[in-house]
Amino acid sequence: MKNRVITKKDFPKFVGRLTNQAEVYAPVQVKDKDYSRFGRIKSAEEICFSHLNTKLPVKELFFPQREVLFEFKPGEHSQAQPPPEIENRIALGVKPCDAAALEMFDRVFLDKEYPDPYYKERRDKTTLIGIACNQPGKACFCTAVNGNPHGTRGLDLLLIDLEDRYLAMPVSEKGEKLVTSYPEAAGKDLENQQELASKATKAIELSLNPKELKNLLDANFDHAVWQELSLPCVNCGVCTYLCPTCHCFDVTDEEYKGEGARIRTWDSCQFSMFTRHASGHNPRPTGKERMRNRTLHKFCYFPKTHEEVLCVGCGRCITECPAGIDLRETLQTLLQTLAPGKES
Amino acid sequence: MDNPYLPAPARIEKVTIENEARDLKTFQLSFVDNERLTDIGTSDSGFPIPATRPTTRKDFLFLPGQFGFLSLSGVGEAPFGIASAPHEDRVWYTVKKVGVFTTALHELEQSVVIGMRGPYGNSYPFDLMKGKDVVIVSGGFSFTTLRSTLVHLLKPENRGDFGKITCVYGARSPGELLYKDEIRAWESSSDINLVLCVDRLDGADWPKTEGLVPNVLKKVAPSARNAVALVCGPPIMIRFTHPVLKELGFAPARVFLSLENRMKCGIGKCGRCNIGTRYVCKDGPVFSYQELLTLPPEY
């Protein structure tokens, strides 16, 4: 697949071609706020690339915060509803971290036994166009969790901002088709890209040994450090809601004036009700158990089952935590405290 | 495409009040549809009919230990162990009235159509149990999937596949024992050594034994040789049963427990029923004690 060049001057036309063939979603400025969020766009002017990343990861296009699984009329005959079909969509301006997270989602929602039809429909019908990170943020640590600021995992096409132009690197055939009419990239463009990629990678300082972390977490479930680590946490759940890899959900019924629906909503393992039995017994009764579960799910349980950590290093849980908990510090504390030879 | 979230319409054929406290009812369900639907159709349950999910009894294939979700439109859904055996026509669920969903379910009467989806999870280890003695230890209303197991084991075609069957089943008081007619019949059967016990007899003449399940198990002392133990009950009973089984010589790999954790999907996605790497819905609800020893105690 050949790398192409789209000049900034041509970019609005490129976006116009996209909007002609599919519903296009891209980061848009949220009114009166200092952040952007994925929204439907009709033209390139609506796109906002001035923030490091969107407040909410692109997961909301595939796994919305609230969605109707099916509708019913209580006690009455009801039309059966297959999972809703959607129009073809293009998500434009996805950061490599958030795109990589979707492949982790696939492991949960597209398993062989019970593929999730709602998620699958959106995944099948969506083309992902990424935008590389030339300047990672202060809380970014993708390189520590097998990611890369110019990574292409989960994407169909990656755009790299080369000041007056975008270098377009196709990843899949779907992505290649979108740019075949554009001129091939020159050697200079690729050199520029590599320089930017290496600069961006170097900007991230944290490095981790996920395998070591997994083994240490596994062997130290009862370690006293968890009490200490969980003390500042207020169990607000923002880290889970904004996390591109958190997939937990609740299913509830809503009814209003004789119309009802079964609803799926995001849920958080940080809430007491998440695991509380009807009897009142709670397997994870306090913040300590819940914080430990979240950390272990990402860095021990998921790696044991799927051979990779369930984290893409986007840093949202760090920048948004009201208690100032920094996952990078948490992990480093764990590594230091749990490593053999340390007191327990 | 297959939609695992859609329940199939199922009719309540019979409701039995199981205990004196009247907070345990058995619901016998039959599928409304007799033929598998190739197309998505309509139902009078208030629910859409899934095309390729089990919507008929014939397609609802399960083994004792598995569970299903019961669904009431407008209220929600919740998972329950299947209390009937695979060869029985109707699918039974014995439900304790304890929360919002179960309270609503308890108000329903015969002939009402509700939703059911499943079966989910693994089962008791029948392959391993073949040719071995089976020891069943149960307390309180957890006896449901073990009733399924016993009816399955005692089926004449199956009975020869297993050795001695011993069952210690206890409740707080005589009125709290489930499936009274059946267990009375089993008490006098030579196919099974069923020991029923209650915490307090309070002058009642049945059952014959007073005492807590672990203590009674110790007295009954079934041999661990070539045997498998199935345990289901409240956490306190399980805690005191382990040492007894150990003393009797049961290796952790031969002891199986059925667990419950809060769950919403039943298919390994909603994330809440995990015990370490394992999901109670998909990898359980039956776990060997040996495996549980390697997992966090979060159940």
Side-chain angles (χ1 to χ4, degrees):
Chain A
M1 281 182 283
K2 285 172 180 145
N3 296 317
R4 309 278 173 173
V5 163
I6 306 169
T7 62
K8 291 251 170 115
K9 213 177 115 215
D10 279 346
F11 190 66
K13 227 187 266 174
F14 171 69
V15 175
R17 285 164 73 172
L18 300 179
T19 54
N20 282 341
Q21 53 178 289
E23 290 180 0
V24 178
Y25 294 80
V28 292
Q29 176 67 40
V30 177
K31 207 179 160 223
D32 300 330
K33 302 281 182 189
D34 62 347
Y35 56 80
S36 63
R37 189 174 171 176
F38 274 91
R40 176 92 188 264
I41 59 148
K42 296 271 163 58
S43 73
E45 294 137 46
E46 297 169 68
I47 303 174
C48 168
F49 278 153
S50 56
H51 302 281
L52 174 71
N53 202 346
T54 48
K55 187 74 138 191
L56 283 162
V58 76
K59 82 170 176 184
E60 66 170 330
L61 292 184
F62 301 88
F63 173 56
Q65 183 159 10
R66 175 189 183 279
E67 73 181 304
V68 173
L69 294 179
F70 53 84
E71 293 173 349
F72 52 77
K73 287 195 173 175
E76 282 178 33
H77 287 266
S78 166
Q79 278 296 315
Q81 303 138 57
E85 281 183 33
I86 62 159
E87 297 295 315
N88 283 327
R89 301 188 307 188
I90 293 168
L92 172 65
V94 181
K95 286 292 165 96
C97 51
D98 292 346
L102 288 174
E103 292 209 346
M104 300 171 189
F105 258 50
D106 291 349
R107 295 179 184 275
V108 176
F109 287 110
L110 300 181
D111 61 325
K112 278 204 187 95
E113 210 179 351
Y114 293 107
D116 187 288
Y118 304 88
Y119 176 81
K120 187 172 190 305
E121 171 74 3
R122 299 192 184 101
R123 199 78 170 92
D124 288 348
K125 298 266 180 80
T126 309
T127 303
L128 285 144
I129 303 177
I131 179 98
C133 259
N134 288 340
Q135 285 176 308
K138 281 184 185 140
C140 288
F141 60 102
C142 63
T143 53
V145 284
N146 302 319
N148 189 295
H150 284 223
T152 56
R153 188 180 178 198
L155 290 168
D156 295 295
L157 179 71
L158 177 68
L159 302 179
I160 299 107
D161 189 335
L162 302 178
E163 291 194 6
D164 66 331
R165 62 188 65 195
Y166 288 107
L167 175 68
M169 297 173 86
V171 186
S172 72
E173 271 178 39
K174 250 185 357 184
E176 189 184 28
K177 271 188 202 155
L178 298 174
V179 291
T180 38
S181 62
Y182 288 89
E184 262 183 64
K188 183 82 177 21
D189 297 322
L190 291 171
E191 273 170 38
N192 278 344
Q193 183 266 327
Q194 289 192 347
E195 201 179 306
L196 286 167
S198 120
K199 222 174 94 191
T201 306
K202 277 184 197 142
I204 298 167
E205 284 168 8
L206 181 74
S207 75
L208 282 175
N209 180 341
K211 203 172 164 187
E212 184 195 4
L213 186 60
K214 177 185 79 176
N215 293 338
L216 287 175
L217 292 173
D218 200 22
N220 291 283
F221 187 83
D222 290 319
H223 199 285
V225 73
W226 288 111
Q227 186 66 44
E228 197 183 310
L229 285 173
S230 64
L231 277 178
C233 177
V234 293
N235 291 129
C236 70
V238 72
C239 53
T240 54
Y241 281 121
L242 299 183
C243 176
T245 67
C246 273
H247 60 79
C248 294
F249 60 82
D250 196 359
V251 178
T252 49
D253 281 13
E254 288 179 5
E255 225 182 89
Y256 182 67
K257 290 187 177 171
E259 304 269 329
R262 186 149 294 165
I263 310 287
R264 167 156 74 185
T265 45
W266 292 352
D267 204 351
S268 171
C269 60
Q270 298 309 295
F271 301 154
S272 148
M273 284 299 287
F274 188 68
T275 48
R276 204 174 82 181
H277 293 195
S279 66
H281 169 69
N282 197 339
R284 292 194 276 272
T286 73
K288 180 186 112 178
E289 291 85 14
R290 298 198 280 272
M291 186 196 198
R292 180 173 59 193
N293 182 69
R294 174 170 148 76
T295 314
L296 263 64
H297 184 203
K298 296 194 174 301
F299 297 97
C300 179
Y301 304 155
F302 198 86
K304 277 168 108 180
T305 310
H306 299 292
E307 305 289 328
E308 64 173 335
V309 296
L310 186 62
C311 172
V312 292
C314 74
R316 287 184 181 89
C317 60
I318 297 166
T319 51
E320 304 296 336
C321 178
I325 297 171
D326 186 327
L327 181 63
R328 293 168 299 185
E329 287 170 18
T330 303
L331 296 177
Q332 279 171 323
T333 305
L334 285 166
L335 279 167
Q336 285 160 13
T337 317
L338 306 181
K342 305 281 170 177
E343 57 179 313
S344 62
Chain B
M1 173 185 187
D2 211 3
N3 188 345
Y5 299 100
L6 292 184
R11 182 175 286 113
I12 300 175
E13 298 288 357
K14 193 179 174 188
V15 183
T16 314
I17 297 169
E18 294 284 356
N19 63 341
E20 270 176 9
R22 302 176 71 85
D23 61 356
L24 282 160
K25 284 183 179 177
T26 297
F27 297 84
Q28 297 186 17
L29 303 180
S30 69
F31 284 90
V32 167
D33 303 304
N34 295 315
E35 279 176 38
R36 171 179 272 216
L37 294 146
T38 47
D39 293 316
I40 290 173
T42 58
S43 81
D44 61 358
S45 66
F47 285 107
I49 298 170
T52 51
R53 302 294 310 153
T55 56
T56 68
R57 181 65 186 88
K58 202 172 69 217
D59 295 326
F60 192 85
L61 299 170
F62 69 94
L63 278 172
Q66 289 192 270
F67 66 94
F69 271 75
L70 298 184
S71 174
L72 299 174
S73 58
V75 183
E77 52 180 5
F80 301 98
I82 299 167
S84 53
H87 65 271
E88 292 178 300
D89 270 354
R90 291 170 182 168
V91 184
W92 297 21
Y93 295 92
T94 302
V95 176
K96 189 181 171 81
K97 185 170 146 181
V98 57
V100 174
F101 180 86
T102 53
T103 300
L105 183 67
H106 266 242
E107 281 168 18
L108 300 182
E109 289 168 0
Q110 195 176 322
S111 84
V112 173
V113 174
I114 64 170
M116 167 161 69
R117 61 183 178 95
Y120 296 124
N122 63 1
S123 68
Y124 289 112
F126 291 96
D127 286 340
L128 176 74
M129 285 150 66
K130 268 207 176 130
K132 297 189 178 68
D133 289 355
V134 179
V135 176
I136 289 175
V137 187
S138 178
F141 64 96
S142 70
F143 190 56
T144 60
T145 57
L146 293 171
R147 180 213 173 255
S148 168
T149 306
L150 281 172
V151 174
H152 180 66
L153 297 178
L154 294 172
K155 190 187 177 198
E157 293 93 309
N158 297 339
R159 183 63 190 90
D161 293 344
F162 305 93
K164 267 193 258 173
I165 299 173
T166 308
C167 174
V168 175
Y169 167 39
R172 257 173 300 172
S173 62
E176 296 301 304
L177 288 164
L178 299 175
Y179 319 120
K180 292 185 188 62
D181 292 345
E182 259 173 333
I183 57 177
R184 273 182 193 274
W186 289 338
E187 264 189 312
S188 55
S189 162
S190 59
D191 277 340
I192 173 176
N193 176 24
L194 175 66
V195 181
L196 299 171
C197 60
V198 289
D199 298 359
R200 293 173 311 276
L201 266 170
D202 286 335
D205 59 356
W206 181 84
K208 295 185 191 77
T209 313
E210 194 175 58
L212 299 168
V213 169
N215 301 340
V216 175
L217 175 68
K218 200 170 173 177
K219 269 186 218 142
V220 174
S223 165
R225 241 188 102 183
N226 198 36
V228 172
L230 313 180
V231 183
C232 196
I236 187 88
M237 183 208 90
I238 290 174
R239 209 168 88 208
F240 288 102
T241 297
H242 280 315
V244 178
L245 287 172
K246 195 178 171 190
E247 215 180 292
L248 291 171
F250 282 88
R254 290 291 182 88
V255 178
F256 292 83
L257 293 99
S258 179
L259 303 182
E260 289 183 336
N261 255 0
R262 189 184 177 106
M263 55 180 77
K264 289 286 179 170
C265 70
I267 53 178
K269 297 178 174 32
C270 80
R272 71 197 62 220
C273 72
N274 77 299
I275 304 173
T277 54
R278 310 289 272 166
Y279 283 106
V280 172
C281 67
K282 256 172 70 169
D283 305 310
V286 177
F287 293 91
S288 76
Y289 185 45
Q290 186 175 45
E291 181 172 16
L292 287 180
L293 289 172
T294 70
L295 296 175
E298 291 187 342
Y299 48 89

